[in-house]
Amino acid sequence: MDGQNGAHTPIDADTRRSAWLFALYRVFVAAVLLLLGLFPDTPLGLHAVAPQFYAVIATAYLAFALAAAGFAWRCTHNPNTTSLSRIALIGGAGDGIGLIGLLLVSGGVGTGIGLLLVPALVATVLLSSARFALSLAAIATLALLLAETVSALLLHPGESAITQAGLLGATLFAAGLLARHFARRAGETRAQVERQEADLANLAELNAQIIARMSAGVIAVDPEGYIRSINEAARRLLPPRPGRHLSSLSPSVARVIREWQRSGRPSTSQQLPGDRDQPALRIRLAPLGDRGDQGTLLILEDAAELQRQAQASKLQALGRLTASIAHEIRNPLGAISHSAQLLGESPDLAPHDQRLLDIINNQSKRVNELISNVLSLSRRDTGERERLNLQETLDRFAEEFCGALQLPRSTLHARVEPGDSEIQFDRSQLNQILWNLCTNARIHGGHDEPDSPPIVLRGGAGQVARVVSLDVIDAGPGISTEQEKDLFEPFVSGRSGGTGLGLYISRMLCENNGASLEYIRTPTGGCFRILFAPLEDESPKEQGA
């Protein structure tokens, strides 16, 4: 009701429609009353005591009803109207004047015209404001009693129906009170519904904002496979194709949904291998509705990102472990090494004791190396990236590697095409990665023999995926599928005495520099491939430096 919502609050569509329907009802009543007075000799005709006045008043009431219907029609087609309360009060006043005037000239309360005041009063109260209910009922009752008195004294003396007029007035008061009660209840209910709608709208907007900012992709599809909603994360994970049907966007994801629907299983999680159009995904599916009759909800996650998060969790666990390792193991290990060194200086040491002493020194050195690797892994220093020429860096490393191990320079062959290929990497961390990979190639690739082929470092810009790449190739038979699964897992080694940290540390150092390290199968075996991050644009150097 506009009286409760404020003078300048637009009227809702249901209230405008109700006003229009009551205006049509008023036109119908006015037309029927006019016809009843114009044709008194018909079975339903009305014998008015003043026929001429009755015709005039009925015609005027019908004209008023048509005008009021015109205003109500305008309100119905104007969603921003705020004048419905005034129109309802004017219409109620017109109903009262017209019906009481007709009652007066037609013969009084006995004609039954007065009963038409009840729906007119109720409609006026409901369409205007509940606070006018008793006032309108009082005015209508007084006018009714006055009209009945005048009719009894002037128009048909001796036929007074004051008692009936009083009862009708009481009925008007009762109708007004009920209308006021229902109007207030309706207003309270409407206000509560509007508050709930506002809360639901705010909640829906909040959910939309949360879903839009989720790192995981969220897609809701209907039973026919058409996309109802999709967030930006899902668009980044799926190919940038047009269309509202999931099969046009990603046929592989649509196929996963169809297979899941045919299986009839509840919520589930599946792995989808990557291809040239989209990365490997983990897809969680859940039905929308009790039995999925409203569609399917998909949550997409980048499998590589999940793997990186799992590796980060492992790294955190290793970091907590290294704190105790450094304190609990390194101190007694230092004492053991120092004691072995002092013992080795003894002139009376027997040859078999010297052999045992060598075992102590070698194993102490091995444990110290393990601790150093784990400590460097837990720190994960980002290092200082610098722009490096890949060919010059590999040549420098080859000289250092062969010189330290007293190997011929021909043992390590480095070739970069084009020769001016550049990367951004921390020099010391790249040196550690290459050292780990080449050491791994010597151990597993059969390069310890004098006539073995060289370890090949082959790379350059644009050879793989439009970035600078580097392949470390050995002459070994490659790695089995079972070994490849755990190749980069920490503390998993394929040889006796290995720590299982070399490849894991190498991959972590690559990721520190925005690069990636993968094992690639080749027709002759396999190789390790580093894909370097694209070069960052250098800011212009300050002039005059």
Side-chain angles (χ1 to χ4, degrees), residues 158-346:
E159 296 183 7
S160 175
I162 296 298
T163 301
Q164 296 180 14
L167 292 175
L168 182 57
T171 302
L172 291 176
F173 269 101
L177 289 173
L178 288 175
R180 182 177 69 171
H181 173 73
F182 287 121
R184 288 180 175 177
R185 289 292 299 273
E188 293 172 356
T189 302
R190 185 176 297 278
Q192 183 179 3
V193 170
E194 291 175 352
R195 287 194 299 270
Q196 292 176 349
E197 290 178 348
D199 292 340
L200 290 175
N202 293 334
L203 183 59
E205 182 178 359
L206 177 62
N207 290 337
Q209 293 292 335
I210 292 174
I211 293 175
R213 287 168 170 77
M214 287 178 62
S215 58
V218 179
I219 306 177
V221 296
D222 63 15
E224 286 74 30
Y226 287 94
I227 298 174
R228 293 164 54 181
S229 65
I230 180 172
N231 66 349
E232 286 300 320
R235 293 190 181 278
R236 290 193 298 268
L237 292 173
L238 298 180
R241 296 169 179 163
R244 294 295 301 170
H245 200 278
L246 186 59
S247 61
S248 61
L249 193 62
S250 176
S252 58
V253 175
R255 184 169 58 253
V256 169
I257 293 181
R258 290 194 298 270
E259 293 175 355
W260 171 70
Q261 290 174 340
R262 284 196 297 267
S263 67
R265 291 177 294 176
S267 303
T268 186
S269 177
Q270 298 187 23
Q271 293 290 130
L272 182 64
D275 52 33
R276 61 184 180 87
D277 294 324
Q278 66 186 33
L281 299 174
R282 188 180 77 172
I283 306 178
R284 285 181 285 173
L285 303 102
L288 292 175
D290 295 336
R291 298 182 178 178
D293 53 348
Q294 298 181 19
T296 306
L297 177 67
L298 296 88
I299 299 179
L300 310 179
E301 295 175 291
D302 189 342
E305 178 63 25
L306 293 177
Q307 185 177 5
R308 285 192 290 268
Q309 294 175 2
Q311 295 287 3
S313 299
K314 291 181 181 179
L315 189 60
Q316 292 177 358
L318 286 174
R320 292 190 294 267
L321 176 63
T322 53
S324 60
I325 288 177
H327 178 73
E328 299 295 340
I329 298 180
R330 250 189 174 169
N331 290 338
L333 181 62
I336 293 173
S337 299
H338 183 64
S339 299
Q341 183 180 0
L342 294 177
L343 186 59
E345 297 175 358
S346 174

Side-chain angles (χ1 to χ4, degrees), residues 307 310-319 321-322 370 373-374 377-378 483-494 498-508:
Q307 185 177 5
Q311 295 287 3
S313 299
K314 291 181 181 179
L315 189 60
Q316 292 177 358
L318 286 174
L321 176 63
T322 53
L370 173 61
N373 286 336
V374 175
L377 180 62
S378 65
Q483 291 176 320
E484 185 178 354
K485 182 176 62 175
D486 299 324
L487 188 59
F488 293 97
E489 291 297 315
F491 305 111
V492 178
S493 177
T499 64
L501 287 174
L503 291 177
Y504 182 65
I505 292 175
S506 299
R507 171 176 273 188
M508 292 299 102

